Amino acid sequence: MLTLHRVRAVRLAPAEAPEGAEPLPGYAVVVDGDRLAAVGPYEELLAAYGDRARIREWDGTLTPGRHEPDGAALLEATYHPDPREAAELGTEPLTGAALAALPMTEVRWGASARRGLQRLLALGTTTLAGPFTRPAVRTAVQRSGIRQTPGTSRSSPDRAGGAAEAAEAPSRSLAPGAPADFAVFAPDGSCLATVLAGRLVHRRR
């Protein structure tokens, strides 16, 4: 099914890109399956696709999704508590000594990773850096649809104490034929929606 996403503006490239990062007011995108079919002024896309496309309207700017360079640290060195554990553990992610005190199993790591991935999707994340060594975490990432990239954290020192190499993110520019991975952000910067391979995987309530 074709989906026409109508927004305030479309930014074709990530904010850090040298070109294509300026929002284009009045633009929209058309998704066909897991790919972008067209990007252009809304009225032109409506005329070309409106009779056969579902229309979604968002009060924000549609952009390439976020890349998370610290994916491994966030999912394999952090515990994301279950809401049912809030009275005991609180609601914020646990690291360091607090994490070391927990009896962690593969099942618990997998559940934590799924909750962590939901947090990332709610921020508009569509790619994150690995690698992931825990089988349960690796499976959770694969099933989430977020694209994994090789590399290490941009901001954290490596285990030898040196500076970690920057993770290489794949091209996230929006163009016909590219994967339909993007996010829509409200004027206040919050994420309204995240789309992976054409699927709406997060929608702000």
Side-chain angles (χ1 to χ4, degrees):
M1 173 181 282
L2 295 171
T3 303
L4 172 56
H5 291 267
R6 184 182 189 183
V7 290
R8 288 189 175 195
V10 172
R11 197 176 73 214
L12 299 179
E16 66 272 17
E19 297 180 2
E22 289 299 318
L24 300 171
Y27 267 50
V29 303
V30 175
V31 173
D32 185 2
D34 64 353
R35 297 280 162 173
L36 291 173
V39 180
Y42 171 71
E43 296 300 335
E44 293 182 9
L45 299 186
L46 181 64
Y49 297 94
D51 61 341
R52 51 199 173 98
R54 170 179 57 184
I55 298 177
R56 290 189 182 275
E57 297 194 9
W58 308 101
D59 186 21
T61 299
L62 188 151
T63 79
R66 289 182 61 251
H67 174 67
E68 177 50 70
D70 292 318
L74 287 172
L75 300 180
E76 293 198 326
T78 304
Y79 181 67
H80 300 270
D82 187 299
R84 293 169 294 185
E85 301 173 309
E88 176 187 359
L89 301 177
T91 59
E92 293 303 307
L94 303 178
T95 60
L99 172 61
L102 296 178
M104 296 300 296
T105 63
E106 276 295 298
V107 171
R108 199 172 193 185
W109 273 118
S112 170
R114 289 190 292 274
R115 292 188 290 270
L117 288 162
Q118 286 301 314
R119 287 175 180 256
L120 292 175
L121 290 173
L123 295 174
T125 305
T126 56
T127 64
L128 76 170
F132 300 97
T133 58
R134 298 185 188 277
V137 174
R138 189 163 57 244
T139 297
V141 172
Q142 292 169 347
R143 290 179 175 174
S144 75
I146 296 180
R147 298 181 192 274
Q148 179 185 335
T149 68
T152 56
S153 166
R154 294 174 191 257
S155 59
S156 302
D158 61 23
R159 293 183 181 180
E165 297 179 2
E168 291 295 330
S171 172
R172 301 181 344 263
S173 297
L174 303 179
D181 298 343
F182 55 84
V184 182
F185 294 95
D188 65 2
S190 61
C191 181
L192 297 175
T194 305
V195 173
L196 290 174
R199 296 182 301 111
L200 183 63
V201 294
H202 165 74
R203 181 172 188 168
R204 193 177 73 181
R205 296 177 180 176

